[in-house]
Amino acid sequence: WSTVSPNGKQVVDGARGDLYIRDLPTGTPHRLTKQTDHFEFYPAWSRDGKSIVYTTWNDQTLGTIRIAPAISGEGRVITDKPGHYIEPAFSPDGSKVVYRTTSDGYLRTATWSRETGIYVIPSAGGASKLVTKKGASPQFGASNDRIFFMTFEDEDKRGLHSIGIDRTDERAHLLSAFATEYALSPDEKWVA
């Protein structure tokens, strides 16, 4: 999970269940947090580069979504219940986080894994709202009220769709037989 900061000066990496930050191109890695209670996964930068959202996992207490200052510090929990959380991403203004929940996958407990889908939550914490039950790799584009996500179509094709956070106005944008994921530019003018 190597993710470069918006200004291109730092990278956050995952290794052995911990997240590390280092200056580019050759800085010394240091831990994002100092905790030893859980594993850390799926880091994503805020657009201003000041915060990192990530997911956690502990076999006893399950997962959370947390936000930590990019300069290092303690991660603040924003989810209100345990779960199987992956792929968090900030909204452009940093006020929201979109993420996906998954099921147990046969290796983890099935507890808190029944309501899978893509959700949005205030970055200050609180109640999550279901946006769509389908898709993967949720991300925001240029606005705070529309989420883009990858779909799995017939004949092994993958699509790029978007939907309003109010669960309306779903749109299909791209379809590819060769894409494994889509990354949307912050201004929505480009897709990688």
Side-chain angles (χ1 to χ4, degrees), residues 122-137:
S123 58
S128 298
K129 291 176 25 181
L130 176 68
V131 178
T132 180
K133 288 194 137 307
K134 67 180 180 182
S137 302

Side-chain angles (χ1 to χ4, degrees), residues 15 47 52 83 85 149 157 188:
R47 298 224 178 146
I52 295 173
Y85 302 114
F149 58 97
K157 294 181 182 175
E188 293 182 28

Side-chain angles (χ1 to χ4, degrees), residues 55-98:
T55 65
T56 67
W57 183 258
N58 176 294
D59 286 340
Q60 285 73 45
T61 59
L62 308 184
T64 62
I65 296 178
R66 297 177 187 234
I67 296 175
I71 58 171
S72 296
E74 194 59 36
R76 174 179 51 86
V77 177
I78 65 169
T79 44
D80 60 354
K81 59 186 174 187
H84 299 252
Y85 302 114
I86 62 173
E87 303 168 348
F90 279 106
S91 62
D93 68 359
S95 68
K96 299 172 189 67
V97 171
V98 65

Side-chain angles (χ1 to χ4, degrees), residues 119-192:
Y119 290 80
V120 67
I121 187 171
S123 58
S128 298
K129 291 176 25 181
L130 176 68
V131 178
T132 180
K133 288 194 137 307
K134 67 180 180 182
S137 302
Q139 58 191 300
F140 284 92
S143 71
N144 297 306
D145 60 356
R146 178 162 287 280
I147 295 168
F148 290 78
F149 58 97
M150 186 173 62
T151 60
F152 303 93
E153 310 286 337
D154 292 336
E155 301 175 24
D156 298 325
K157 294 181 182 175
R158 290 187 171 94
L160 178 65
H161 286 218
S162 69
I163 191 169
I165 62 171
D166 61 359
R167 301 184 70 177
T168 63
D169 192 27
E170 183 173 341
R171 301 176 194 162
H173 300 282
L174 297 170
L175 185 64
S176 174
F178 303 106
T180 55
E181 62 183 281
Y182 293 99
L184 185 67
S185 66
D187 62 5
E188 293 182 28
K189 292 182 179 178
W190 300 91
V191 175

